[in-house]
Amino acid sequence: MIKLKETVIVEGKYDKIKLENFIDAYIIATNGFRIFKDTKKRELIKRLAKQNGIIILTDSDSAGMMIRNYLKGIVSCGEITNVYVPQIKGKEKRKDKVSAEGLLGVEGLSKEIIIEALEKSGVFIKKSATKSKKDIDKTLLFEYGLTGGAESSKRRKSLYEFLGLPSCMQTNSFLEYVNKVYEKNEFERVCNEWLNQQDSR
């Protein structure tokens, strides 16, 4: 079992059940969009974010991103770690048909994929070792053609795919993610690997 002090926020009860098989942590399900009207649960999440921090682990579709952004908006104080799972086509066994976007939710992903997403998001890095300075900015993204150009959106989506991130991720959320996970030189190395892969196609 993986023990986490942070509270893990997921969308549904089946996501919660999935994680409880290998994660020892307090796990809360937002029950999808019901969180928008659930005042008590919102207040609980705010308190937990201040106490030990929260990990947001929603699905990689547009609905999951909407819930993620909403949660980030209500937590004014406290530590938030965003964990992004890759966009994988498929259908959960318990469902009769695929979701609107045809993507697997957290419940349909393997334990290994979820653990890898936790690792990539820096969940297992000791807080004392994390950096507070944001060295990666929009200027650096511009240098790699990820902002400010006609092809920037397409290039970002290509990089997101390379990094196993949702294609619907917003630029500011991406910046927040990479500043938490990478040092500047590490991010530049990853971008260069991505560019080399593009050139070899």
Side-chain angles (χ1 to χ4, degrees), residues 4-9 16 23-28 44 48:
L4 299 173
K5 70 171 185 175
E6 300 96 335
T7 297
V8 183
I9 314 291
K16 185 174 185 287
I23 291 178
D24 179 10
Y26 184 41
I27 303 171
I28 294 177
L44 174 62
L48 292 167

Side-chain angles (χ1 to χ4, degrees), residues 23-156:
I23 291 178
D24 179 10
Y26 184 41
I27 303 171
I28 294 177
T30 66
N31 297 317
F33 294 139
R34 290 182 196 168
I35 189 65
F36 297 165
K37 295 183 178 179
D38 193 334
T39 308
K40 288 185 179 179
K41 190 169 283 187
R42 289 200 307 269
E43 290 305 314
L44 174 62
I45 289 170
K46 288 179 188 178
R47 286 200 308 274
L48 292 167
K50 283 183 182 178
Q51 288 170 6
N52 288 317
I54 59 172
I55 294 168
I56 304 177
L57 180 56
T58 55
D59 295 348
S60 59
D61 58 9
S62 54
M65 198 62 70
M66 192 182 299
I67 293 168
R68 178 187 299 277
N69 289 333
Y70 178 77
L71 290 172
K72 285 165 61 180
I74 66 168
V75 177
S76 56
C77 300
E79 179 73 24
I80 299 175
T81 301
N82 282 287
V83 175
Y84 297 95
V85 294
Q87 291 182 312
I88 299 174
K89 297 280 185 184
K91 177 183 78 69
E92 283 81 11
K93 290 179 183 178
R94 68 177 181 86
K95 294 181 179 176
D96 296 328
K97 57 182 181 178
V98 296
S99 66
E101 295 176 38
L103 300 170
L104 287 173
V106 170
E107 66 167 289
L109 299 173
S110 69
K111 169 185 172 182
E112 290 73 24
I113 288 173
I114 294 170
I115 291 173
E116 185 180 358
L118 290 166
E119 287 173 346
K120 283 182 176 178
S121 299
V123 168
F124 305 129
I125 298 171
K126 289 183 180 177
K127 297 301 175 189
S128 59
T130 58
K131 60 196 180 65
S132 57
K133 196 169 133 186
K134 296 188 176 180
D135 293 326
I136 304 164
D137 57 17
K138 287 189 177 176
T139 302
L140 186 58
L141 296 189
F142 178 78
E143 288 173 13
Y144 281 100
L146 298 166
T147 59
E151 296 284 311
S152 294
S153 178
K154 184 178 175 182
R155 288 173 66 82
R156 279 198 310 276

